[in-house]
């Protein structure tokens, strides 16, 4: 089994000595779907954002697809990782003045120097995969939240990443739109994509993930396969957390 990401004793502190990450170590295997869940403010989003250099580290080290990130890394490593690791955020972060097609092709053309025709063909294929091919020439404001998030996923996939990071991708959506995005993520998982997903969607965690991490106070409090973790949570905090759903 190939390790895609290895985290060793990660530390990240914010103001007043609050540690968002307090010595976190874990491995993510290629092809694994790992769900990270936990209460608000537990550090789970900080964790996933370190994996592509969006959050700096105060201590420890990350090996992401052979690139090393630590407290002293430079922009070269971050750029190398971002070419191979896609990320989808809570907010869609689409450029409102660009069409859907142009939103998706911008990075392949500018960053990867792909020919425009090739980038557009790939974008149309991805929009077809997302079930929204007919939206290619519209603008973000003309789409629903669920459609915009599917565009954001297509935009990340347009760079042909080896790993996909999802930071609460359904939290900004109306309830009736959540299923649209989760279905796309299920299909992506079935294709063998390595995925790390911060989410409160318990059905996705139960049905799709290979492993679930429960994050609390900057540490991994409990982890395991979903069937074991949901059926027999060991920690009091995890039992309390699951009782909310």
């Amino acid at each position: 089994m190939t390790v895609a990401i290895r985290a060793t004793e990660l530390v990240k502190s914010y103001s007043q000595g609050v540690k968002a990450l307090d010595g976190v170590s874990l491995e993510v295997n290629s092809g694994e779907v790992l769900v990270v869940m936990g209460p608000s403010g537990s550090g789970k989003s900080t964790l996933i954002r370190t994996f592509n250099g969006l959050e700096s580290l105060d201590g420890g080290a990350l090996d992401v697809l052979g690139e090393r990130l630590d407290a002293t890394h430079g922009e070269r490593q971050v750029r190398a990782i971002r070419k191979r690791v896609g990320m989808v955020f809570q907010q869609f972060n689409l450029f409102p003045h660009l069409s859907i097609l142009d939103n998706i092709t911008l990075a392949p053309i500018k960053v990867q120097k792909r020919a425009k025709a090739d980038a557009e063909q790939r974008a149309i294929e991805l929009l077809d995969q997302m079930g929204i091919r007919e939206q290619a020439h519209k603008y973000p404001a003309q789409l629903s939240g669920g459609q915009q998030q599917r565009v954001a996923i297509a935009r990340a996939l347009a760079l042909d990443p080896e790993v996909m990071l999802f930071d609460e991708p359904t939290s900004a959506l109306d309830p009736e739109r959540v299923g649209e995005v989760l279905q796309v993520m299920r299909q992506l998982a079935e294709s063998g994509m390595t995925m790390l997903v911060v989410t409160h969607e318990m059905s996705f965690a139960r049905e799709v993930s290979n492993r679930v991490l429960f994050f609390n106070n900057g540490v991994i409090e409990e982890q395991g396969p979903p069937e074991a973790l949901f059926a027999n949570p060991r920690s009091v905090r995890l039992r309390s957390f699951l009782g909310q759903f």
Side-chain angles (χ1 to χ4, degrees):
M1 190 75 71
T2 303
V3 176
I5 298 175
R6 178 179 286 110
T8 307
E9 294 293 319
L10 302 185
V11 175
K12 173 67 178 180
S13 299
Y14 290 121
S15 59
Q16 300 169 334
V18 176
K19 285 188 176 179
L21 304 177
D22 192 4
V24 176
S25 297
L26 65 96
E27 291 184 352
V28 183
N29 293 318
S30 294
E32 183 175 17
V33 179
L34 177 65
V35 164
V36 183
M37 62 184 189
S40 178
S42 61
K44 57 190 185 296
S45 288
T46 300
L47 174 68
I48 201 170
R49 288 167 64 89
T50 65
F51 293 164
N52 71 344
L54 281 173
E55 291 281 0
S56 61
L57 293 169
D58 296 319
L62 267 170
D63 290 290
V64 182
L65 301 172
E67 294 286 344
R68 170 62 65 99
L69 295 179
D70 55 28
T72 63
H73 72 260
E75 278 301 308
R76 185 199 67 78
Q77 292 94 329
V78 172
R79 285 196 300 270
I81 286 170
R82 289 180 183 169
K83 289 179 180 178
R84 302 170 68 191
V85 177
M87 186 156 188
V88 178
F89 301 88
Q90 297 178 38
Q91 303 299 327
F92 321 124
N93 295 332
L94 301 176
F95 293 109
H97 64 290
L98 295 180
S99 70
I100 298 307
L101 189 64
D102 288 341
N103 264 281
I104 296 172
T105 60
L106 182 65
I109 292 170
K110 297 293 187 182
V111 177
Q112 295 182 330
K113 309 302 181 185
R114 292 190 197 174
K116 182 178 180 181
D118 292 342
E120 288 185 346
Q121 180 179 347
R122 175 63 174 149
I124 293 296
E125 291 171 358
L126 287 167
L127 287 172
D128 197 32
Q129 182 182 335
M130 300 296 132
I132 49 173
R133 180 174 181 156
E134 70 282 0
Q135 311 296 342
H137 299 291
K138 293 184 180 179
Y139 289 82
Q142 296 174 283
L143 274 59
S144 70
Q147 289 172 328
Q148 289 188 60
Q149 192 62 296
R150 281 182 279 168
V151 172
I153 294 172
R155 180 181 57 184
L157 292 174
L159 293 172
D160 296 322
E162 296 163 59
V163 175
M164 283 287 287
L165 310 176
F166 294 86
D167 187 6
E168 300 199 34
T170 60
S171 65
L173 301 178
D174 294 333
E176 63 268 24
R177 301 298 182 190
V178 169
E180 300 173 358
V181 174
L182 292 180
Q183 180 59 28
V184 167
M185 292 170 64
R186 285 187 176 94
Q187 292 169 353
L188 196 56
E190 289 168 2
S191 75
M193 176 66 74
T194 306
M195 296 169 58
L196 288 92
V197 185
V198 173
T199 186
H200 289 130
E201 298 295 336
M202 296 296 114
S203 62
F204 181 89
R206 285 176 180 270
E207 299 164 15
V208 183
S209 71
N210 303 110
R211 182 162 47 114
V212 177
L213 302 184
F214 178 64
F215 219 71
N216 191 36
N217 292 328
V219 301
I220 300 170
E221 187 161 308
E222 195 165 334
Q223 64 175 303
E227 59 271 16
L229 190 137
F230 283 102
N232 188 30
R234 296 189 303 273
S235 78
V236 173
R237 186 67 187 88
L238 176 54
R239 289 197 294 272
S240 173
F241 178 81
L242 293 176
Q244 301 171 36
F245 298 93

